[in-house]
Amino acid sequence: MASAIRGQYNSAEWVWYIFTPLIVVGASVYLSELAQAGIIAGAREAAFRYGIFDYYFDVLKDGHRIWILSQLLGVVMGIGSTLAAALRSLHYLALMNQRASGALSPLWFSLARYTRFSARASGVVLLIILLCAAYFMLSGQAYELWMRRG
């Protein structure tokens, strides 16, 4: 809002810098709720009792292993989308601070340069792919597809 008041928005692209990360954060909250709902009852306690590797390879049946693996991959992809959105926000912040001169100007210039990939269209496509893949995994659709094929 401060940037809008100062008149620092010079194109519609700036709106994407702000709202894309906010949308991703909202989606990440939903994905975390899906992940929590997907936890197998008693799995945490059993994993601590047997040890993670013994529990995964010796105690679980194949269907449960696939479920846990799909959930884990969904969480990793959700975290990846959150990190990509954070880089996009950092890029925006660096661009905004480049306009002011000061001792930190070289830092902001470097951050803008190193996070530039997240601001391009490919960065948005990566965000969408990661979010969709995380939803596909965490909603159980990947598990259902795997079980139908197997």
Side-chain angles (χ1 to χ4, degrees), residues 14 21 23 36 41 49 57 60 68 102 105 113-114 134 136 142 147:
W14 288 100
I23 292 168
Q36 287 177 347
R49 187 171 0 138
F57 290 108
L60 290 177
I68 288 176
S105 289
R113 188 175 65 233
Y114 291 126
F136 181 67
M147 295 309 284

Side-chain angles (χ1 to χ4, degrees), residues 95-114:
L95 289 178
M96 295 306 296
N97 284 312
Q98 273 186 338
R99 294 180 178 181
S101 60
L104 294 177
S105 289
L107 171 69
W108 295 120
F109 181 76
S110 296
L111 281 174
R113 188 175 65 233
Y114 291 126

Side-chain angles (χ1 to χ4, degrees), residues 45-119:
E45 294 80 12
F48 286 126
R49 187 171 0 138
Y50 292 104
I52 293 175
F53 290 108
D54 289 336
Y55 174 71
Y56 186 79
F57 290 108
D58 297 334
V59 176
L60 290 177
K61 296 177 182 170
D62 287 339
H64 289 129
R65 266 189 228 119
I66 293 167
W67 175 258
I68 288 176
L69 185 60
S70 68
Q71 293 293 297
L72 179 64
L73 287 173
V75 168
V76 168
M77 290 177 193
I79 291 170
S81 68
T82 303
L83 290 175
L87 287 175
R88 189 170 174 83
S89 291
L90 182 61
H91 182 74
Y92 168 73
L93 180 66
L95 289 178
M96 295 306 296
N97 284 312
Q98 273 186 338
R99 294 180 178 181
S101 60
L104 294 177
S105 289
L107 171 69
W108 295 120
F109 181 76
S110 296
L111 281 174
R113 188 175 65 233
Y114 291 126
T115 58
R116 181 177 38 215
F117 69 93
S118 67

Side-chain angles (χ1 to χ4, degrees), residues 10 34 38 40 43 50 65 133 138-139:
N10 55 8
L34 276 178
I40 299 170
Y50 292 104
R65 266 189 228 119
L138 292 171
S139 68

